[in-house]
Amino acid sequence: LSADDRIESEVAQRRGRRGAQGGFDAARGIRLGTPTLAILPDLGGRNTAEGRDAEAKLAEVVNLAQAIALDVVHSEVVRVRAASPSFLFGKGQVERIAAAVAANEAELVIVDGAVSPIQQRNLEKALSAKVIDRTGLILEIFGERASTAEGTLQVELAHLDYQASRLVRSWTHLERQRGGFGFLGGPGETQIETDRRLIRDRIAKLKRELEDVRRTRTLHRARRQRAPYPVVALVGYTNAGKSTLFNRLTGADVMAADLLFATLDPTMRAIRLPGFDKVILSDTVGFISELPTQLVAAFRATLEEVLEADVIVHVRDLAHPDTEAQQADVLGVLRDLGVVDSPDAAPILEAWNKIDLLDAPARDALLDQAARRSDAIAISAQTGEGVDVLRRRVAETLQKAARIVDVDLGVEEGARIAWLYEHGHVLDRVDDGVRVKLKVRLSDLMRARFEGRASA
Ligand code: GTP
Protein backbone atom coordinates (compact mmCIF):
# COMPACT_ATOMS: atom_id res chain seq x y z
CA LEU A 1 0.00 0.00 0.00
CA SER A 2 1.24 3.46 -0.84
CA ALA A 3 1.08 6.19 1.78
CA ASP A 4 -1.84 7.68 -0.09
CA ASP A 5 -3.73 4.41 -0.14
CA ARG A 6 -3.19 4.00 3.55
CA ILE A 7 -4.49 7.49 4.22
CA GLU A 8 -7.46 6.84 1.98
CA SER A 9 -8.36 3.65 3.75
CA GLU A 10 -7.97 5.28 7.13
CA VAL A 11 -10.26 8.06 6.05
CA ALA A 12 -12.72 5.53 4.71
CA GLN A 13 -12.70 3.82 8.09
CA ARG A 14 -13.13 7.02 10.00
CA ARG A 15 -15.94 7.99 7.74
CA GLY A 16 -17.42 4.53 7.58
CA ARG A 17 -20.62 5.56 9.24
CA ARG A 18 -21.21 8.23 6.66
CA GLY A 19 -20.39 5.95 3.78
CA ALA A 20 -22.95 3.53 5.06
CA GLN A 21 -25.55 6.28 4.97
CA GLY A 22 -25.40 6.22 1.19
CA GLY A 23 -22.70 8.11 -0.56
CA PHE A 24 -22.38 11.17 1.61
CA ASP A 25 -19.52 12.69 -0.28
CA ALA A 26 -19.29 16.07 1.34
CA ALA A 27 -15.72 15.54 2.45
CA ARG A 28 -14.53 15.08 -1.10
CA GLY A 29 -11.14 16.66 -1.46
CA ILE A 30 -10.40 16.72 2.27
CA ARG A 31 -8.42 13.85 3.66
CA LEU A 32 -6.48 12.97 6.74
CA GLY A 33 -3.37 15.09 7.03
CA THR A 34 -4.28 17.56 4.28
CA PRO A 35 -1.83 20.49 4.57
CA THR A 36 -4.08 23.32 5.67
CA LEU A 37 -3.96 27.06 6.22
CA ALA A 38 -6.21 28.56 8.87
CA ILE A 39 -7.06 32.23 8.37
CA LEU A 40 -9.13 34.32 10.73
CA PRO A 41 -10.48 37.43 8.99
CA ASP A 42 -10.66 40.05 11.72
CA LEU A 43 -13.25 42.63 10.68
CA GLY A 44 -12.55 44.83 13.63
CA GLY A 45 -14.95 43.35 16.14
CA ARG A 46 -17.88 43.11 13.75
CA ASN A 47 -17.22 39.61 12.56
CA THR A 48 -15.22 38.26 15.45
CA ALA A 49 -17.87 37.12 17.87
CA GLU A 50 -18.67 39.79 20.43
CA GLY A 51 -15.16 41.12 20.51
CA ARG A 52 -13.61 37.81 21.46
CA ASP A 53 -9.91 37.57 21.55
CA ALA A 54 -8.80 37.09 17.92
CA GLU A 55 -5.77 34.98 18.78
CA ALA A 56 -7.87 32.71 21.00
CA LYS A 57 -10.39 32.38 18.20
CA LEU A 58 -7.63 31.45 15.79
CA ALA A 59 -6.37 28.87 18.26
CA GLU A 60 -9.89 27.47 18.41
CA VAL A 61 -10.18 27.03 14.66
CA VAL A 62 -6.74 25.39 14.53
CA ASN A 63 -7.85 23.05 17.26
CA LEU A 64 -11.10 22.25 15.43
CA ALA A 65 -9.18 21.55 12.23
CA GLN A 66 -6.81 19.26 14.08
CA ALA A 67 -9.76 17.47 15.61
CA ILE A 68 -10.63 16.20 12.13
CA ALA A 69 -6.99 15.36 11.49
CA LEU A 70 -6.11 18.20 9.15
CA ASP A 71 -2.46 19.22 9.24
CA VAL A 72 -2.47 22.96 9.96
CA VAL A 73 0.81 24.17 8.51
CA HIS A 74 0.20 27.89 8.93
CA SER A 75 -2.32 30.07 10.71
CA GLU A 76 -2.82 33.79 11.05
CA VAL A 77 -5.22 36.58 11.85
CA VAL A 78 -5.75 38.81 8.82
CA ARG A 79 -7.12 42.23 9.61
CA VAL A 80 -9.75 43.19 7.04
CA ARG A 81 -10.55 46.89 6.91
CA ALA A 82 -13.38 46.70 4.40
CA ALA A 83 -14.59 43.29 3.24
CA SER A 84 -14.30 42.98 -0.52
CA PRO A 85 -17.44 41.42 -2.07
CA SER A 86 -15.40 39.43 -4.54
CA PHE A 87 -12.52 38.22 -2.36
CA LEU A 88 -13.34 39.20 1.23
CA PHE A 89 -9.67 40.08 1.69
CA GLY A 90 -7.78 42.95 0.07
CA LYS A 91 -5.72 42.37 -3.07
CA GLY A 92 -2.37 42.46 -1.28
CA GLN A 93 -3.70 40.14 1.41
CA VAL A 94 -4.90 37.61 -1.16
CA GLU A 95 -1.44 37.65 -2.72
CA ARG A 96 0.18 37.13 0.66
CA ILE A 97 -2.12 34.22 1.51
CA ALA A 98 -1.43 32.74 -1.94
CA ALA A 99 2.29 32.94 -1.20
CA ALA A 100 1.76 31.16 2.13
CA VAL A 101 -0.27 28.47 0.36
CA ALA A 102 2.54 27.95 -2.15
CA ALA A 103 5.33 28.04 0.44
CA ASN A 104 3.57 25.44 2.60
CA GLU A 105 2.16 23.42 -0.30
CA ALA A 106 -1.23 23.77 1.37
CA GLU A 107 -4.25 22.22 -0.34
CA LEU A 108 -6.95 23.61 1.90
CA VAL A 109 -7.60 27.07 3.30
CA ILE A 110 -10.03 27.47 6.16
CA VAL A 111 -11.42 30.98 6.39
CA ASP A 112 -12.93 31.24 9.84
CA GLY A 113 -15.87 33.44 9.00
CA ALA A 114 -18.71 33.68 6.53
CA VAL A 115 -17.53 33.42 2.95
CA SER A 116 -20.03 34.00 0.15
CA PRO A 117 -20.17 31.51 -2.74
CA ILE A 118 -18.61 34.09 -5.04
CA GLN A 119 -15.82 34.91 -2.61
CA GLN A 120 -15.20 31.21 -2.16
CA ARG A 121 -14.93 30.60 -5.90
CA ASN A 122 -12.67 33.58 -6.47
CA LEU A 123 -10.43 32.70 -3.56
CA GLU A 124 -10.12 29.10 -4.74
CA LYS A 125 -8.93 30.37 -8.10
CA ALA A 126 -6.56 32.95 -6.68
CA LEU A 127 -5.08 30.63 -4.06
CA SER A 128 -5.05 27.40 -6.09
CA ALA A 129 -6.47 25.61 -3.07
CA LYS A 130 -9.81 24.41 -1.81
CA VAL A 131 -11.45 26.99 0.44
CA ILE A 132 -13.97 26.28 3.17
CA ASP A 133 -15.55 28.68 5.61
CA ARG A 134 -16.55 28.22 9.23
CA THR A 135 -19.82 26.53 8.33
CA GLY A 136 -17.98 24.10 6.06
CA LEU A 137 -15.52 23.26 8.81
CA ILE A 138 -18.19 22.77 11.45
CA LEU A 139 -20.12 20.54 9.05
CA GLU A 140 -17.04 18.37 8.71
CA ILE A 141 -16.72 18.08 12.48
CA PHE A 142 -20.37 17.28 13.04
CA GLY A 143 -20.14 14.69 10.29
CA GLU A 144 -17.28 13.08 12.13
CA ARG A 145 -18.95 13.22 15.52
CA ALA A 146 -22.57 12.45 14.80
CA SER A 147 -23.11 9.11 16.43
CA THR A 148 -26.84 8.64 16.33
CA ALA A 149 -28.77 7.87 13.17
CA GLU A 150 -30.66 11.10 13.57
CA GLY A 151 -27.51 13.11 14.10
CA THR A 152 -25.93 11.65 10.96
CA LEU A 153 -28.98 12.39 8.85
CA GLN A 154 -29.29 15.91 10.21
CA VAL A 155 -25.68 16.64 9.40
CA GLU A 156 -26.04 15.33 5.88
CA LEU A 157 -29.17 17.40 5.44
CA ALA A 158 -27.38 20.52 6.65
CA HIS A 159 -24.53 19.77 4.30
CA LEU A 160 -26.78 19.43 1.28
CA ASP A 161 -28.60 22.57 2.25
CA TYR A 162 -25.31 24.39 2.36
CA GLN A 163 -24.26 22.97 -1.01
CA ALA A 164 -27.62 23.74 -2.57
CA SER A 165 -27.49 27.36 -1.52
CA ARG A 166 -24.07 27.66 -3.13
CA LEU A 167 -25.28 26.02 -6.34
CA VAL A 168 -28.44 28.06 -6.51
CA ARG A 169 -26.60 31.30 -6.37
CA SER A 170 -24.02 30.51 -8.98
CA TRP A 171 -26.75 29.02 -11.13
CA THR A 172 -28.94 32.13 -11.07
CA HIS A 173 -25.82 34.08 -11.80
CA LEU A 174 -25.13 31.93 -14.85
CA GLU A 175 -28.72 32.06 -15.92
CA ARG A 176 -28.70 35.81 -15.88
CA GLN A 177 -25.71 35.77 -18.18
CA ARG A 178 -27.51 33.51 -20.60
CA GLY A 179 -30.48 35.83 -20.70
CA GLY A 180 -32.86 34.23 -18.21
CA PHE A 181 -34.00 30.80 -19.29
CA GLY A 182 -36.51 29.65 -16.72
CA PHE A 183 -37.04 25.95 -17.52
CA LEU A 184 -35.78 23.03 -15.52
CA GLY A 185 -35.20 19.71 -17.24
CA GLY A 186 -35.33 19.19 -20.95
CA PRO A 187 -32.48 18.94 -23.40
CA GLY A 188 -30.86 22.21 -22.35
CA GLU A 189 -30.38 21.09 -18.77
CA THR A 190 -27.02 22.17 -17.45
CA GLN A 191 -24.82 20.26 -15.05
CA ILE A 192 -25.74 22.61 -12.26
CA GLU A 193 -29.42 22.04 -12.81
CA THR A 194 -28.84 18.31 -12.68
CA ASP A 195 -26.87 18.74 -9.48
CA ARG A 196 -29.62 20.83 -7.99
CA ARG A 197 -32.20 18.22 -8.84
CA LEU A 198 -30.07 15.44 -7.37
CA ILE A 199 -29.58 17.44 -4.21
CA ARG A 200 -33.28 18.20 -3.97
CA ASP A 201 -34.18 14.53 -4.39
CA ARG A 202 -31.63 13.52 -1.81
CA ILE A 203 -32.93 16.15 0.62
CA ALA A 204 -36.47 14.85 0.20
CA LYS A 205 -35.29 11.29 0.77
CA LEU A 206 -33.32 12.31 3.86
CA LYS A 207 -36.30 14.08 5.33
CA ARG A 208 -38.33 10.90 4.98
CA GLU A 209 -35.57 8.85 6.60
CA LEU A 210 -35.40 11.38 9.43
CA GLU A 211 -39.08 10.95 10.09
CA ASP A 212 -38.58 7.18 10.36
CA VAL A 213 -35.65 7.59 12.68
CA ARG A 214 -37.58 9.99 14.88
CA ARG A 215 -40.40 7.54 15.20
CA THR A 216 -38.08 4.72 16.28
CA ARG A 217 -36.15 7.01 18.58
CA THR A 218 -39.26 7.94 20.50
CA LEU A 219 -39.89 4.27 21.12
CA HIS A 220 -36.28 3.76 22.08
CA ARG A 221 -36.32 6.66 24.47
CA ALA A 222 -39.48 5.50 26.14
CA ARG A 223 -37.80 2.17 26.74
CA ARG A 224 -34.66 3.74 28.15
CA GLN A 225 -36.56 6.05 30.44
CA ARG A 226 -37.91 3.02 32.14
CA ALA A 227 -34.38 1.77 32.77
CA PRO A 228 -33.55 2.38 36.38
CA TYR A 229 -30.27 4.14 35.69
CA PRO A 230 -29.81 7.85 36.06
CA VAL A 231 -28.12 9.67 33.20
CA VAL A 232 -25.37 12.26 33.63
CA ALA A 233 -24.52 14.32 30.54
CA LEU A 234 -21.29 16.22 30.04
CA VAL A 235 -21.67 19.38 28.02
CA GLY A 236 -19.24 22.17 27.35
CA TYR A 237 -17.59 24.47 24.89
CA THR A 238 -15.21 22.84 22.46
CA ASN A 239 -11.82 22.11 24.02
CA ALA A 240 -13.14 22.60 27.57
CA GLY A 241 -11.96 19.13 28.54
CA LYS A 242 -15.10 16.99 28.30
CA SER A 243 -13.41 13.97 26.76
CA THR A 244 -10.54 14.16 29.23
CA LEU A 245 -13.01 14.22 32.11
CA PHE A 246 -15.10 11.49 30.49
CA ASN A 247 -12.03 9.27 30.26
CA ARG A 248 -11.06 10.01 33.83
CA LEU A 249 -14.54 9.26 35.14
CA THR A 250 -14.72 6.05 33.15
CA GLY A 251 -11.23 4.88 34.13
CA ALA A 252 -11.04 1.15 34.82
CA ASP A 253 -11.47 1.57 38.57
CA VAL A 254 -14.81 3.31 38.32
CA MET A 255 -16.36 1.33 35.48
CA ALA A 256 -19.40 -0.66 36.48
CA ALA A 257 -18.90 -4.38 36.00
CA ASP A 258 -21.53 -5.68 33.63
CA LEU A 259 -22.06 -2.73 31.43
CA LEU A 260 -25.30 -2.44 29.65
CA PHE A 261 -24.29 0.51 27.56
CA ALA A 262 -20.53 0.01 27.57
CA THR A 263 -20.18 -1.14 24.03
CA LEU A 264 -23.14 0.52 22.41
CA ASP A 265 -21.71 3.91 21.85
CA PRO A 266 -18.25 5.34 22.44
CA THR A 267 -19.75 8.40 24.04
CA MET A 268 -21.82 6.53 26.60
CA ARG A 269 -20.53 4.53 29.52
CA ALA A 270 -21.90 3.06 32.69
CA ILE A 271 -19.97 4.21 35.73
CA ARG A 272 -20.24 3.80 39.46
CA LEU A 273 -20.77 6.76 41.76
CA PRO A 274 -21.02 6.86 45.55
CA GLY A 275 -24.39 5.31 46.30
CA PHE A 276 -25.09 4.35 42.68
CA ASP A 277 -24.08 1.08 41.09
CA LYS A 278 -24.82 2.26 37.63
CA VAL A 279 -25.02 5.71 36.20
CA ILE A 280 -24.94 6.35 32.47
CA LEU A 281 -22.36 8.98 31.65
CA SER A 282 -22.65 10.54 28.22
CA ASP A 283 -20.22 12.80 26.41
CA THR A 284 -21.53 15.27 23.84
CA VAL A 285 -20.14 17.16 20.89
CA GLY A 286 -18.43 20.41 21.84
CA PHE A 287 -20.34 23.65 21.64
CA ILE A 288 -19.16 26.26 19.19
CA SER A 289 -19.94 29.95 18.96
CA GLU A 290 -21.75 31.46 15.97
CA LEU A 291 -23.38 28.22 15.00
CA PRO A 292 -24.85 28.77 11.53
CA THR A 293 -28.63 28.45 11.57
CA GLN A 294 -28.74 25.54 9.16
CA LEU A 295 -26.60 23.61 11.64
CA VAL A 296 -28.68 24.14 14.71
CA ALA A 297 -30.91 21.13 14.07
CA ALA A 298 -27.91 18.93 13.36
CA PHE A 299 -26.21 20.07 16.51
CA ARG A 300 -29.31 19.50 18.59
CA ALA A 301 -29.66 15.99 17.26
CA THR A 302 -26.21 15.24 18.60
CA LEU A 303 -27.37 16.50 21.99
CA GLU A 304 -30.15 13.99 22.37
CA GLU A 305 -28.67 12.59 25.54
CA VAL A 306 -28.80 15.95 27.26
CA LEU A 307 -32.57 15.93 27.03
CA GLU A 308 -32.67 12.71 29.01
CA ALA A 309 -30.12 13.69 31.60
CA ASP A 310 -30.92 13.69 35.30
CA VAL A 311 -27.91 15.88 35.95
CA ILE A 312 -25.96 18.00 33.48
CA VAL A 313 -22.28 18.65 34.14
CA HIS A 314 -21.14 21.76 32.34
CA VAL A 315 -17.38 21.47 31.83
CA ARG A 316 -15.72 24.89 31.60
CA ASP A 317 -12.19 25.86 30.70
CA LEU A 318 -11.45 28.41 33.41
CA ALA A 319 -8.00 29.07 31.98
CA HIS A 320 -9.44 30.36 28.69
CA PRO A 321 -9.60 34.15 28.17
CA ASP A 322 -13.17 33.86 26.83
CA THR A 323 -14.45 31.52 29.50
CA GLU A 324 -17.42 33.81 30.29
CA ALA A 325 -18.50 34.17 26.65
CA GLN A 326 -18.19 30.41 26.23
CA GLN A 327 -20.38 29.83 29.25
CA ALA A 328 -23.02 32.17 27.80
CA ASP A 329 -22.93 30.25 24.50
CA VAL A 330 -23.45 26.92 26.20
CA LEU A 331 -26.25 28.17 28.43
CA GLY A 332 -27.92 29.80 25.43
CA VAL A 333 -28.07 26.49 23.58
CA LEU A 334 -29.25 24.63 26.67
CA ARG A 335 -31.98 27.20 27.09
CA ASP A 336 -33.05 26.72 23.46
CA LEU A 337 -33.17 23.01 24.07
CA GLY A 338 -35.53 23.67 26.94
CA VAL A 339 -33.29 22.14 29.57
CA VAL A 340 -32.80 25.36 31.53
CA ASP A 341 -35.54 27.28 33.33
CA SER A 342 -38.22 24.70 32.61
CA PRO A 343 -40.16 22.91 35.35
CA ASP A 344 -38.51 19.56 34.73
CA ALA A 345 -35.05 20.95 33.96
CA ALA A 346 -32.19 18.79 35.16
CA PRO A 347 -29.89 20.47 37.66
CA ILE A 348 -26.65 21.80 36.18
CA LEU A 349 -23.30 21.47 37.93
CA GLU A 350 -20.30 23.41 36.69
CA ALA A 351 -16.95 21.66 36.56
CA TRP A 352 -14.38 24.45 36.57
CA ASN A 353 -11.68 22.69 34.66
CA LYS A 354 -7.99 23.25 34.00
CA ILE A 355 -7.21 24.82 37.37
CA ASP A 356 -3.73 23.33 37.03
CA LEU A 357 -3.03 26.00 34.39
CA LEU A 358 -3.76 28.94 36.68
CA ASP A 359 -1.15 30.75 38.74
CA ALA A 360 -1.37 30.45 42.53
CA PRO A 361 -3.41 33.62 43.28
CA ALA A 362 -5.96 33.01 40.48
CA ARG A 363 -6.23 29.40 41.51
CA ASP A 364 -6.80 30.21 45.18
CA ALA A 365 -9.43 32.80 44.33
CA LEU A 366 -11.22 30.24 42.20
CA LEU A 367 -11.08 27.47 44.80
CA ASP A 368 -12.48 29.97 47.29
CA GLN A 369 -15.32 30.94 45.00
CA ALA A 370 -16.18 27.32 44.18
CA ALA A 371 -16.17 26.39 47.86
CA ARG A 372 -18.95 28.91 48.45
CA ARG A 373 -21.16 27.44 45.74
CA SER A 374 -22.97 24.13 45.81
CA ASP A 375 -23.12 23.94 42.02
CA ALA A 376 -19.47 24.56 41.12
CA ILE A 377 -16.50 22.27 41.60
CA ALA A 378 -12.96 23.26 40.67
CA ILE A 379 -11.13 20.41 38.99
CA SER A 380 -8.31 19.42 36.74
CA ALA A 381 -9.43 16.61 34.47
CA GLN A 382 -5.81 16.24 33.51
CA THR A 383 -4.25 15.77 36.96
CA GLY A 384 -7.37 14.39 38.60
CA GLU A 385 -7.51 17.06 41.27
CA GLY A 386 -11.03 17.67 42.52
CA VAL A 387 -12.53 14.87 40.46
CA ASP A 388 -13.50 12.86 43.55
CA VAL A 389 -15.32 15.87 44.93
CA LEU A 390 -17.11 16.21 41.59
CA ARG A 391 -18.08 12.55 41.70
CA ARG A 392 -19.57 12.94 45.17
CA ARG A 393 -21.36 16.15 44.22
CA VAL A 394 -22.91 14.53 41.15
CA ALA A 395 -24.08 11.62 43.29
CA GLU A 396 -25.63 13.97 45.86
CA THR A 397 -27.33 15.94 43.14
CA LEU A 398 -28.71 12.76 41.60
CA GLN A 399 -30.18 11.81 44.96
CA LYS A 400 -32.00 15.09 45.06
CA ALA A 401 -32.75 15.51 41.37
CA ALA A 402 -36.41 15.64 40.66
CA ARG A 403 -37.93 14.13 37.56
CA ILE A 404 -41.41 14.33 36.21
CA VAL A 405 -43.01 10.90 36.01
CA ASP A 406 -46.34 9.78 34.69
CA VAL A 407 -48.23 7.48 37.02
CA ASP A 408 -51.35 5.59 36.11
CA LEU A 409 -53.29 4.15 39.04
CA GLY A 410 -56.71 2.70 39.68
CA VAL A 411 -59.12 4.99 41.54
CA GLU A 412 -59.24 2.46 44.36
CA GLU A 413 -55.54 2.92 45.13
CA GLY A 414 -56.22 5.89 47.37
CA ALA A 415 -53.29 5.32 49.72
CA ARG A 416 -50.74 5.37 46.95
CA ILE A 417 -52.29 8.43 45.38
CA ALA A 418 -52.11 10.17 48.74
CA TRP A 419 -48.49 9.07 49.11
CA LEU A 420 -47.63 10.77 45.83
CA TYR A 421 -49.30 13.99 46.93
CA GLU A 422 -47.31 13.84 50.13
CA HIS A 423 -43.86 13.01 48.73
CA GLY A 424 -43.97 14.60 45.31
CA HIS A 425 -45.35 17.59 43.56
CA VAL A 426 -48.42 16.72 41.52
CA LEU A 427 -48.49 18.82 38.36
CA ASP A 428 -51.47 17.33 36.58
CA ARG A 429 -54.30 14.94 37.29
CA VAL A 430 -56.72 13.29 34.91
CA ASP A 431 -59.42 11.24 36.60
CA ASP A 432 -61.94 9.34 34.48
CA GLY A 433 -63.62 7.55 37.34
CA VAL A 434 -61.70 4.31 36.66
CA ARG A 435 -58.07 5.36 36.28
CA VAL A 436 -56.21 8.28 37.81
CA LYS A 437 -53.38 9.60 35.66
CA LEU A 438 -50.94 11.79 37.52
CA LYS A 439 -47.99 13.81 36.35
CA VAL A 440 -45.75 14.03 39.39
CA ARG A 441 -42.41 15.58 40.06
CA LEU A 442 -40.48 13.12 42.20
CA SER A 443 -36.91 12.97 43.40
CA ASP A 444 -35.00 9.89 42.31
CA LEU A 445 -35.01 8.62 45.81
CA MET A 446 -38.76 9.01 46.17
CA ARG A 447 -39.33 7.49 42.77
CA ALA A 448 -37.30 4.46 43.81
CA ARG A 449 -39.35 4.19 47.02
CA PHE A 450 -42.57 4.51 45.09
CA GLU A 451 -41.50 1.79 42.66
CA GLY A 452 -40.37 -0.30 45.62
CA ARG A 453 -43.84 0.02 47.06
CA ALA A 454 -45.31 -0.87 43.70
CA SER A 455 -43.49 -4.19 43.56
CA ALA A 456 -44.00 -4.95 47.25
P1 GTP B 1 -14.18 18.88 22.05
O1 GTP B 1 -14.09 17.46 21.66
O2 GTP B 1 -13.62 19.83 21.05
O3 GTP B 1 -15.54 19.29 22.48
O4 GTP B 1 -13.19 19.09 23.32
P2 GTP B 1 -13.30 18.47 24.76
O5 GTP B 1 -14.15 19.36 25.59
O6 GTP B 1 -13.66 17.05 24.72
O7 GTP B 1 -11.82 18.69 25.27
P3 GTP B 1 -10.66 17.60 25.45
O8 GTP B 1 -10.96 16.69 26.57
O9 GTP B 1 -10.35 17.02 24.13
O10 GTP B 1 -9.50 18.55 25.92
C1 GTP B 1 -9.03 19.62 25.13
C2 GTP B 1 -7.59 19.90 25.48
O11 GTP B 1 -7.47 20.38 26.81
C3 GTP B 1 -6.71 18.66 25.41
O12 GTP B 1 -5.46 19.05 24.91
C4 GTP B 1 -6.59 18.23 26.86
O13 GTP B 1 -5.38 17.55 27.12
C5 GTP B 1 -6.62 19.56 27.57
N1 GTP B 1 -7.14 19.45 28.93
C6 GTP B 1 -8.29 18.89 29.34
N2 GTP B 1 -8.44 19.01 30.67
C7 GTP B 1 -7.34 19.66 31.13
C8 GTP B 1 -6.90 20.07 32.42
O14 GTP B 1 -7.54 19.88 33.46
N3 GTP B 1 -5.70 20.72 32.47
C9 GTP B 1 -4.95 20.97 31.37
N4 GTP B 1 -3.79 21.59 31.54
N5 GTP B 1 -5.34 20.58 30.15
C10 GTP B 1 -6.52 19.94 30.02
Side-chain angles (χ1 to χ4, degrees):
L1 280 181
S2 74
D4 258 10
D5 287 342
R6 249 183 295 118
I7 287 171
E8 286 302 333
S9 85
E10 202 169 329
V11 173
Q13 259 173 19
R14 290 170 62 110
R15 304 199 188 283
R17 275 198 311 268
R18 275 203 240 172
Q21 287 292 331
F24 184 22
D25 193 23
R28 191 172 36 196
I30 300 181
R31 55 183 163 69
L32 215 62
T34 296
T36 302
L37 242 61
I39 307 288
L40 174 73
D42 181 358
L43 286 97
R46 267 171 301 128
N47 212 30
T48 41
E50 299 112 38
R52 281 170 204 237
D53 187 295
E55 287 300 330
K57 255 201 112 213
L58 183 65
E60 173 183 313
V61 73
V62 169
N63 179 65
L64 290 173
Q66 284 165 349
I68 51 169
L70 296 172
D71 180 14
V72 181
V73 287
H74 174 86
S75 68
E76 66 174 287
V77 177
V78 174
R79 212 169 151 84
V80 177
R81 225 169 283 140
S84 131
S86 40
F87 286 96
L88 177 63
F89 302 102
K91 191 161 172 284
Q93 290 173 329
V94 173
E95 279 164 14
R96 234 169 18 77
I97 298 170
V101 167
N104 292 286
E105 296 182 356
E107 292 164 29
L108 176 68
V109 177
I110 299 168
V111 179
D112 187 19
V115 180
S116 75
I118 290 167
Q119 290 168 337
Q120 182 180 5
R121 220 180 27 230
N122 290 340
L123 281 172
E124 285 187 342
K125 252 188 239 144
L127 304 177
S128 308
K130 186 177 166 62
V131 171
I132 60 173
D133 66 0
R134 188 174 173 84
T135 304
L137 176 65
I138 295 174
L139 276 168
E140 288 299 322
I141 293 167
F142 284 2
E144 186 110 331
R145 294 291 182 83
S147 59
T148 60
E150 184 178 4
T152 313
L153 291 172
Q154 285 283 19
V155 172
E156 185 174 352
L157 203 55
H159 221 137
L160 289 171
D161 219 43
Y162 178 67
Q163 280 179 347
S165 74
R166 309 232 132 197
L167 281 176
V168 167
R169 281 187 225 176
S170 52
W171 176 72
T172 39
H173 174 72
L174 272 180
E175 194 190 42
R176 218 178 307 122
Q177 286 184 336
R178 281 190 280 110
F181 237 41
F183 299 104
L184 283 181
E189 194 177 60
T190 66
Q191 187 55 44
I192 271 168
E193 285 162 1
T194 315
D195 286 355
R196 273 184 74 200
R197 203 157 37 83
L198 287 175
I199 287 181
R200 238 186 2 243
D201 290 352
R202 180 92 191 112
I203 286 180
K205 183 162 177 289
L206 275 174
K207 287 194 169 153
R208 284 194 302 274
E209 283 179 41
L210 256 174
E211 275 310 306
D212 286 348
V213 166
R214 286 214 182 101
R215 228 170 294 131
T216 1
R217 184 196 56 179
T218 317
L219 291 174
H220 172 81
R221 184 180 285 168
R223 211 174 306 132
R224 171 112 60 79
Q225 264 178 358
R226 261 183 270 127
Y229 315 120
V231 176
V232 175
L234 299 181
V235 301
Y237 201 80
T238 180
N239 214 42
K242 288 181 305 299
S243 306
T244 311
L245 181 61
F246 184 81
N247 290 337
R248 188 162 280 281
L249 288 172
T250 56
D253 51 325
V254 287
M255 285 273 271
D258 54 335
L259 305 176
L260 191 54
F261 292 96
T263 52
L264 282 188
D265 185 329
T267 62
M268 256 201 262
R269 287 275 186 286
I271 61 166
R272 217 175 260 145
L273 287 177
F276 292 88
D277 265 357
K278 253 185 220 167
V279 171
I280 308 301
L281 182 70
S282 73
D283 196 1
T284 61
V285 65
F287 290 45
I288 297 168
S289 69
E290 305 155 82
L291 198 62
T293 44
Q294 73 256 55
L295 288 190
V296 173
F299 180 62
R300 286 186 183 177
T302 68
L303 286 175
E304 212 175 285
E305 303 311 325
V306 176
L307 300 173
E308 294 176 19
D310 296 274
V311 171
I312 295 171
V313 175
H314 176 186
V315 184
R316 294 182 53 195
D317 177 353
L318 265 288
H320 195 281
D322 293 323
T323 187
E324 304 289 332
Q326 294 180 346
Q327 177 192 35
D329 276 331
V330 172
L331 290 179
V333 175
L334 291 180
R335 199 164 289 125
D336 290 347
L337 281 172
V339 297
V340 180
D341 302 335
S342 83
D344 60 341
I348 301 179
L349 293 179
E350 288 195 1
W352 291 355
N353 194 28
K354 306 200 187 180
I355 51 168
D356 59 296
L357 291 179
L358 302 174
D359 59 22
R363 202 186 120 87
D364 289 348
L366 210 73
L367 288 173
D368 227 47
Q369 215 182 323
R372 278 184 269 114
R373 287 174 54 166
S374 60
D375 64 342
I377 306 93
I379 65 160
S380 165
Q382 185 131 303
T383 68
E385 184 184 356
V387 172
D388 271 332
V389 182
L390 175 66
R391 232 184 239 131
R392 274 201 303 278
R393 196 69 63 81
V394 171
E396 286 162 18
T397 312
L398 275 177
Q399 298 281 2
K400 284 186 284 187
R403 296 278 277 170
I404 292 182
V405 286
D406 291 301
V407 189
D408 186 346
L409 297 167
V411 280
E412 73 284 359
E413 299 184 83
R416 299 185 66 212
I417 295 171
W419 190 95
L420 285 171
Y421 273 93
E422 192 179 330
H423 295 97
H425 182 86
V426 177
L427 300 167
D428 192 21
R429 173 178 179 138
V430 179
D431 191 335
D432 65 4
V434 184
R435 308 295 300 171
V436 179
K437 294 192 169 85
L438 299 174
K439 206 177 254 309
V440 193
R441 186 179 174 143
L442 273 182
S443 74
D444 256 9
L445 198 64
M446 287 305 159
R447 187 170 43 158
R449 284 212 193 134
F450 182 75
E451 276 155 9
R453 288 162 61 99
S455 59

